[in-house]
Structures are given as structure tokens and as C-alpha cells.
Amino acid sequence: MKTTKTIFLMLLMVAMPQLTTAKITHLLPRPVSVSVNEGQEPIVVGDAIRLVNATEKEKKAAEILLGVALTEDDNATPIVFRNTDQQAAVGDYELEGYPYEGYTLIVDDGKIYIDASTTIGHVRGLQTLAQLMEGWDDGISRVEACKIDDYPAFKLRGYMHDVGRSFIPFEELKKQIILFARFKVNTFHFHLTENQAWRFEVKAFPQLTSEENMTRLAGYYYTQKQCQELDELASTLGITIIPEIDMPGHSGAFERAMGHKMQTAQGISELKTILSEVAEVFVNAPYIHIGADETTITYPNFLETMTSHIHSLGKKVVVWNPASGVTITKAKGVDMTQMWSTAGKAIAGMPNIDCRYNYINHFDLFADLVGIYKSNIYYANEGSSDIAGTITAVWNDRNLPSWEDIMRQNNVYASVLASTERAWVGGGKQYIEQGGTTLPTTGDEMEEFADWERRFLFHKENSLQDEPIAYVRQSDIRWTITDAFPNGGNKDAVFPPETEGTKSTYTYNNKEYTTHEAAGGGIYLRHTWGTIVPAFYSQPEINHTAYAWAYIYSPENQDCGALIEFQNYGRSEKDLAPENGKWDRKGTRLWVNDEEISAPDWLNAGLTIDNESLLQNENCTARKPTPITLKQGWNKVFIKLPYVAAQGVRLNKWMFTFVLTDADGHKALDNIEYSASEPTAIKDKRGDNEVKNATFYAIDGRKTDFRQGKSAPGIYIRDNANERKKIILK
């Protein structure tokens, strides 16, 4: 349904070079179609706007999203809301609580029109308008003359916070609702209860949120008044909250507070009271989530009893899929499932949410984001009555120093917005089980991801500038990676790339080993989930050693930083940290210009980090970048990557991350060029002069620069003075 979207924005960049700084090219997610009126100047919005035909809800949404005052002054820029009889687009489907979201935004002759058949459609138009207004160089909000027709491929596009194990401050939750709404995220799954703590205030049972019954972040919870405020804010901005009271598992906090288990007559009676209060507080929530996983349901008719009570409250029921000890059916009162792990399979005849590979607590900063963006949603190009959409889940089992660490180390903003764009535009060539997390070096998937990255980083510098976001540009990075050499379990074994230098092929023990190009800031040689999710090697094997290298051109001697990582510590595992002086527990080593780069001083060096001890600087997202000195000209990064048993590490990842940044790690280093191949000298045929240390651009006879969106025929170099020269080969 959305196959034209990718083509559209690429063509927009090429066909309209005068719009390279226009905000229309930064829209996230991509709209279905856009036409631009080149004959009109952008409208200056000013400090106040005048709304015409707006409902009270639309007025509140406009005030929050646009950040300007509302006025009745006839001289103010008007935004006219028009109700249309527009029918849902082909491919739309029914989903309780999720009305049609299509809209048309028209900016013409000094006026702004938002046409939609639903209030939520008008709000989606406002969200697009908010993006068009941001990021102008002089700080004055404008909107380009244009027409945008838009609607989503999947109706449910969400994120989840496990605030039972962790805690996100209430004001921060509100801010996230507002920020995510700008990008058409429309669901917040609020996982309120866990073994560690119960975070939802229950008037009937105040002991549930008493400090002595919490084992982590004791005393922190959300009052019913706060939850009501969050529910109202979310509803205004077109976000549905799905509150979850997990049962009968993950209920340690309940048992400590109540003195008995949920699967008892008394427990069931208390759960009914609790669910009644949840329904009264979350007035706008069409669903209540009751978990039902990981603890076998044994009490007779437990699930049916709970679902029947929720239905009596006027709500529908979501459960995890698979559940434990029961078969999920409509007859048991289940209205929607949320698929988790490879065991979760869509159940025909009811909507299912794909959450199977979006557990970002297991993920790294770079490669897994590629996997999220490339993958379609549960094998489908668009939503249906069986496939509702997707939720990105932040299961922060570990104890992290702050809520900012939760956001930064789980790469929440980038992951949620990559997933949301995929759900909005639809498509994706294949599911992550086939496509994996590897970024292609060329082709439409690379171009599409690089374009998403460009737009996301624009918003990182604008509406998201104050948020804890570690992600930086990676689409320009290129590597060479060898076939893996068998090391017999010896992490220190030396192979030809160390002794013979960088080459395209090697011979070792009468066998040829070749090399391959790779792209991106993070590469999995073997993924976190083994061969379930494909990685760089199709059949990775333990007791092997790989090598990777890249060449980096710098126009000057300069100091910078590097994000470096060889074992990403998931935010839900008990693991043994590296020893000081070692990058990981597998023997990985790194050199820049033949000088070995030392690992940081680990704050948990040699200690087992369990769920209650702090995960500190073990992940690159939790520490300052490693200082790196580049020389003028070409620099070489060389990495040795043994894959052997890693003592005390459950998810033994074979991976590497290396990205050059500014000293603070906020932005990728701008004035450099990456090359997978060792630079060689060529001859300028015009004057037969030898040119050395040159950056080559030779991709099918065209020079390509994804960062600038430009291409031109020919072969280009940069000489030692960093002057760009075109060479004509005769």
C-alpha cells in the first residue's frame, strides 16, 4: 500500500534542489504524498494562530503541539479545520479504539487547511504542521505552501515502559507523550506492576504502594490523579494508553503487600477491585492489559473471570501471547494479544500486536536499529484485522543510575521512531528473521535507512535536542571484514591479517579466506539471538577469530572521540563485567594507526552485575567517548575479534561498534571520510600526475554523498589539502 512513499521522498530530494533546507524533507514519518507550490513564499506563522471550526480537543492539541498562543485576531494566521466525508483509504481496517487517522494538509494563499473525517485525523495534521514549523535558521516559524495527503499502514504504533522494575518520573512521562505524539506514535503501553514494585495507586489497598513492599526504587509510584492527567493529555494528542496490571505472574509486590497469591479466591476478589479502579482512572483507555504470561494459570477459570469483569467495566482485554497454562481464544474473553518471543504467533480472528523482536533492552545502539527499520511488521506490508501494529518495549530489568540512562542506553527515541515510521509507511522487504540487522552497503534499503537517519538527526537537533539520545550518524561508515579463522578456543591465536596486513584474500592452512564489505557503526557477526536473527556471518561458529578494518581520511590532525563496544550488556541480564585493561571477556583488541587503544577503567571490573547492582559504564552509551587522535590524511582502524566462550556472560555477543564523534559523543565527526579499502595511488590522466592519499568516490560511475543527497557523474578525490577534485579518466 505504501510502496510509493520511499520513491516519493527520494524524488523530492533530487527534483527540488531548492528545497534541500526545507522542513518538508524532514517529515518523520514520511507522508504518503506531497506536492509543493513553488510560486508561493512560506507562510510566517508568528506567535499566535487563529483556529477556525476547531473542537475543544483540537484547540488543546494545537496549543500543545504548535507551541503558540490561540487568538481571535483576524490578522493571525488561520488554521481551518474542515470535516470531510472522505472514506478510509484502501487497506484500512477496524480496530477498537483506533479511528481512521487519514488527513489532508493544505497550505495555500496565506491559509492552512486540515481536512479529515475524524478528530484524530485533524490532530495528525497538526502533528505534521508542528514539524513543518520547526528548525528554521532564524528561529521564525514558517510553513511552506504545499499539499500533503497522508494515512498510516498500521493502526497501532506504540512504546512500552516497564515502570514496575524501573521508574520514569511523572513529568518526564508527560513530556514523552508530547514529544512522541509529534511523530504519530499513538499508543503508550503502561506496564505498572512487577515483582519489584507496584506503581499504580489503589485507594482500596494503599499497602500496594507502600515503601516497605517495594524492593527497588521504594516509595515511587503514580497517584490516580497523575494517571488521570496523563490519560487526558494522551487522549488530547491522539495517544491511547493501555494500562497493564500483570497477573497472575510478575506479582511479587502484590504478594508482599497482600500476604497471599493472586490465584486464590481472596486474590481474585482483590484484583477485581483493583481493575475497577484502573477503569475509573483511565477513562479514555479502550483496553486493559492483564499479562497472563510466564506463570502457569492453574486457578479454575482465572482468565475468564478476569476478562468477564473487565468487559463489565466497558473495557476490552489484552494479554501476552503466548500465555501460560491457557489457550488464548475469544471464548475466554481475550480481545487482542501482544506477541512476545519467537513463540508468539498471531491468532486468527482477533488483532495481534507484534512485539516479538522489539525488546530493545537486549539491543545495541546501531545494528539493532537497522533491524527494526528494515523489518516489516509480522511478515505484513500493511495492517489487517489480525495484525494491529507494533509496540517497542523497554524492559529495563537492570538497575540503572537514572531514568536518563534508561532512555539513553535503550536507545528509546531512535528505536521507537524507527519502528513508528515503519508502521506508518508499511513495507519493509522482509521480516527481521530473514533480513537481520546488517545494513546493506548499497541499494534501496541503504538509501531508505540513510534518509530516515538524516530526518531523525534533524529532529534530534530540534524538538528532541534536550533528550538523552546517544544515536549518531552511521550510514556513511564502511568496513572490510574477513572470513573467520578457526582458533581452537585460543583467543590469542594470531592469523594472517595481523602478520600480512590488510588484503582482499588470505591463505591459511592451505585454505583461502576472503574479505567482504560492510556498512554501519555497529556490526553483529553473530546476533544476540544466535541464528534466529541473521547477522554478518550466515553460520557463525564459536572458537573462531575475525578481523575488521576501516580507513578514515581526516583533512587535519585532530582529536575526537569514538563510541566503542564489543559486548553490549542488555538491560535485563546478570553478567560478569570485563577485567580492567580488557575490552570484553573474549580477548577483543583494537588499534588505530597501529597504536593499541586501551579499554576504559570499568567501574564494575571483574564483578558480576546482577539486576539490583548498578550497570555503570560497561556500555558505550553510559560513558564518554574514548579519546582518539587522527592524523592528517589516511588513518587505519584495525580490530581483532575472537569468538570464544565468555565466562559469566549469558548472551555472548559477537559484535563490534566503532563510530568517530565529537569529544562529547553528541554528533558523528563531520569532516572525515570512511573507506573499506586501503587507499592506493592513481594517476591523473590529464597531467599524468600521481595522486596519493585520495578519497575515492566510485560507485557505478557516480559520486554519492548520502549526507548531502547529491550525486554527479565522474570520479572524485580529496587531495592532502582536502580540496575536492574531479579526475577524468581517458
Side-chain angles (χ1 to χ4, degrees):
M1 183 171 70
K2 300 296 186 298
T3 54
T4 60
K5 282 190 171 184
T6 303
I7 298 169
F8 153 72
L9 211 54
M10 302 297 176
L11 290 176
L12 185 66
M13 293 289 292
V14 174
M16 299 181 180
Q18 71 273 20
L19 295 179
T20 53
T21 60
K23 304 307 168 271
I24 225 165
T25 62
H26 298 127
L27 288 175
L28 182 68
R30 293 193 312 263
V32 171
S33 68
V34 175
S35 58
V36 179
N37 189 336
E38 300 177 47
Q40 292 187 27
E41 290 295 317
I43 296 174
V44 176
V45 176
D47 297 328
I49 54 173
R50 177 168 55 90
L51 300 183
V52 181
N53 300 330
T55 65
E56 287 304 311
K57 191 170 188 177
E58 290 161 355
K59 289 178 182 177
K60 289 180 183 177
E63 206 165 13
I64 295 168
L65 290 167
L66 304 183
V68 295
L70 304 184
T71 182
E72 299 296 326
D73 186 348
D74 288 342
N75 294 318
T77 301
I79 300 178
V80 182
F81 292 85
R82 299 189 296 198
N83 295 313
T84 67
D85 295 327
Q86 171 187 0
Q87 297 298 309
V90 175
D92 190 53
Y93 53 99
E94 291 296 321
L95 183 63
E96 183 74 24
Y98 289 83
Y100 182 58
E101 300 171 275
Y103 68 92
T104 299
L105 174 67
I106 301 170
V107 182
D108 183 56
D109 196 25
K111 293 183 180 179
I112 300 169
Y113 301 91
I114 301 178
D115 299 342
S117 58
T118 62
T119 295
I120 199 66
H122 286 141
V123 173
R124 297 288 175 256
L126 284 170
Q127 290 160 352
T128 296
L129 184 60
Q131 290 191 33
L132 292 175
M133 289 168 56
E134 74 176 313
W136 294 86
D137 291 340
D138 58 6
I140 299 174
S141 295
R142 299 176 178 81
V143 183
E144 297 163 279
C146 64
K147 179 181 179 183
I148 297 174
D149 289 300
D150 208 7
Y151 54 88
F154 291 85
K155 300 198 82 161
L156 194 154
R157 308 171 301 278
Y159 68 106
M160 187 212 80
H161 273 311
D162 171 10
V163 295
R165 291 183 177 94
S166 61
F167 186 82
I168 307 292
F170 174 64
E171 291 300 323
E172 175 60 25
L173 286 181
K174 286 173 58 180
K175 183 176 68 172
Q176 289 179 23
I177 290 283
I178 294 169
L179 289 174
F180 278 132
R182 294 175 69 90
F183 304 98
K184 301 181 178 65
V185 175
N186 72 348
T187 303
F188 173 39
H189 175 183
F190 204 4
H191 185 84
L192 285 157
T193 66
E194 261 301 334
N195 291 316
Q196 289 86 343
W198 187 285
R199 307 291 186 193
F200 173 75
E201 178 191 26
V202 180
K203 300 288 189 182
F205 310 118
Q207 65 268 37
L208 283 167
T209 49
S210 65
E211 192 168 341
E212 65 265 22
N213 291 320
M214 299 182 183
T215 61
R216 188 190 295 175
L217 297 170
Y220 290 93
Y221 64 94
Y222 306 100
T223 67
Q224 290 195 3
K225 183 179 179 181
Q226 288 175 325
C227 291
Q228 287 170 335
E229 184 180 343
L230 197 69
D231 181 61
E232 184 60 32
L233 173 66
S235 177
T236 297
L237 298 178
I239 289 182
T240 295
I241 294 182
I242 301 179
E244 180 180 1
I245 305 297
D246 209 343
M247 60 182 77
H250 301 264
S251 53
F254 176 93
E255 293 171 14
R256 287 190 298 274
M258 309 307 289
H260 50 263
K261 293 182 179 296
M262 289 180 170
Q263 294 195 81
T264 61
Q266 188 173 356
I268 287 175
S269 175
E270 291 158 351
L271 286 172
K272 287 181 178 180
T273 299
I274 291 166
L275 291 169
S276 295
E277 291 196 23
V278 171
E280 289 173 4
V281 169
F282 292 97
V283 175
N284 297 294
Y287 300 90
I288 295 176
H289 201 308
I290 59 171
D293 65 315
E294 292 196 311
T295 291
T296 302
I297 295 175
T298 57
Y299 194 89
N301 300 317
F302 179 89
L303 188 60
E304 294 92 330
T305 301
M306 293 297 103
T307 59
S308 176
H309 181 67
I310 292 171
H311 289 158
S312 75
L313 301 170
K315 306 292 188 182
K316 292 187 174 293
V317 180
V318 185
V319 300
W320 289 105
N321 171 7
S324 298
V326 296
T327 301
I328 301 171
T329 64
K330 275 188 172 280
K332 287 187 168 62
V334 176
D335 300 294
M336 181 156 62
T337 86
Q338 187 166 351
M339 298 178 288
W340 68 283
S341 84
T342 56
K345 309 293 183 186
I347 297 174
M350 69 173 68
N352 300 268
I353 304 167
D354 188 0
C355 202
R356 299 166 88 228
Y357 295 105
N358 278 29
Y359 276 27
I360 58 176
N361 51 294
H362 290 297
F363 284 2
D364 83 314
L365 180 59
F366 293 105
D368 284 299
L369 183 70
V370 172
I372 288 175
Y373 189 78
K374 286 199 315 176
S375 177
N376 59 33
I377 293 171
Y378 199 73
Y379 313 102
N381 289 325
E382 60 190 54
S384 67
S385 57
D386 286 349
I387 309 300
T390 184
I391 287 177
T392 299
V394 189
W395 293 110
N396 203 89
D397 296 13
R398 282 195 193 267
N399 195 3
L400 293 185
S402 67
W403 68 263
E404 290 95 341
D405 279 288
I406 291 173
M407 300 298 292
R408 185 181 297 107
Q409 293 204 42
N410 289 292
N411 203 24
V412 174
Y413 277 104
S415 298
V416 171
L417 297 187
S419 178
T420 297
E421 169 148 307
R422 179 53 62 209
W424 186 271
V425 306
K429 279 192 172 181
Q430 52 196 343
Y431 198 45
I432 193 170
E433 291 173 343
Q434 292 83 40
T437 62
T438 302
L439 183 62
T441 56
T442 59
D444 55 353
E445 283 186 307
M446 159 57 89
E447 292 174 5
E448 190 181 10
F449 178 80
D451 183 64
W452 174 87
E453 178 184 74
R454 174 188 61 80
R455 288 177 286 125
F456 173 75
L457 293 175
F458 168 83
H459 293 287
K460 178 183 175 181
E461 297 302 318
N462 286 278
S463 61
L464 301 175
Q465 62 182 288
D466 296 325
E467 304 314 304
I469 298 173
Y471 185 80
V472 300
R473 187 184 66 246
Q474 62 164 324
S475 57
D476 60 334
I477 301 175
R478 296 295 182 272
W479 298 94
T480 292
I481 302 176
T482 67
D483 290 337
F485 298 83
N487 63 33
N490 178 9
K491 63 181 176 59
D492 297 318
V494 174
F495 298 98
E498 285 185 74
T499 58
E500 299 175 17
T502 57
K503 297 162 55 176
S504 58
T505 60
Y506 299 92
T507 300
Y508 178 73
N509 286 347
N510 298 317
K511 181 180 176 181
E512 185 174 89
Y513 293 80
T514 188
T515 58
H516 314 271
E517 188 173 340
I523 309 287
Y524 279 108
L525 304 180
R526 178 189 184 275
H527 193 263
T528 305
W529 291 315
T531 55
I532 296 172
V533 173
F536 183 80
Y537 293 138
S538 59
Q539 295 294 326
E541 295 181 83
I542 195 78
N543 296 333
H544 279 69
T545 298
Y547 295 87
W549 58 81
Y551 290 88
I552 299 163
Y553 182 82
S554 173
E556 58 188 356
N557 296 326
Q558 60 178 320
D559 294 325
C560 58
L563 300 176
I564 302 172
E565 191 168 85
F566 302 109
Q567 171 71 34
N568 179 268
Y569 287 84
R571 276 63 65 190
S572 59
E573 301 295 323
K574 182 173 76 171
D575 285 326
L576 190 60
E579 299 289 348
N580 263 334
K582 307 293 183 183
W583 279 105
D584 58 17
R585 305 198 74 84
K586 297 187 295 290
T588 301
R589 299 175 68 185
L590 165 71
W591 295 264
V592 174
N593 294 330
D594 300 321
E595 180 179 341
E596 187 159 9
I597 304 300
S598 299
D601 291 329
W602 307 112
L603 297 177
N604 283 317
L607 301 177
T608 295
I609 317 163
D610 64 23
N611 285 351
E612 298 309 320
S613 57
L614 285 179
L615 181 66
Q616 299 199 75
N617 69 339
E618 287 72 32
N619 289 326
C620 69
T621 47
R623 60 180 186 265
K624 282 194 171 294
T626 300
I628 298 289
T629 297
L630 297 179
K631 65 182 182 182
Q632 183 185 31
W634 284 103
N635 299 263
K636 181 175 73 173
V637 178
F638 186 80
I639 308 174
K640 179 178 183 177
L641 296 154
Y643 185 50
V644 296
Q647 176 195 1
V649 177
R650 188 177 82 85
L651 296 177
N652 183 13
K653 305 177 185 182
W654 198 9
M655 60 172 289
F656 68 91
T657 293
F658 186 94
V659 179
L660 290 176
T661 69
D662 57 21
D664 294 329
H666 181 72
K667 295 178 67 174
L669 199 60
D670 277 330
N671 63 340
I672 58 172
E673 307 277 352
Y674 289 90
S675 173
S677 303
E678 182 174 10
T680 56
I682 64 172
K683 290 194 174 181
D684 182 344
K685 297 299 182 181
R686 294 170 300 178
D688 204 33
N689 297 317
E690 190 176 73
V691 181
K692 296 182 179 179
N693 292 331
T695 298
F696 294 84
Y697 305 84
I699 303 175
D700 296 331
R702 299 182 68 81
K703 180 264 178 184
T704 300
D705 185 338
F706 287 115
R707 283 171 287 166
Q708 300 299 324
K710 299 174 182 176
S711 63
I715 296 177
Y716 292 78
I717 66 159
R718 290 187 189 278
D719 63 15
N720 284 334
N722 197 36
E723 293 180 357
R724 183 170 174 273
K725 295 181 178 179
K726 181 174 180 179
I727 295 180
I728 307 297
L729 300 179
K730 297 181 179 179

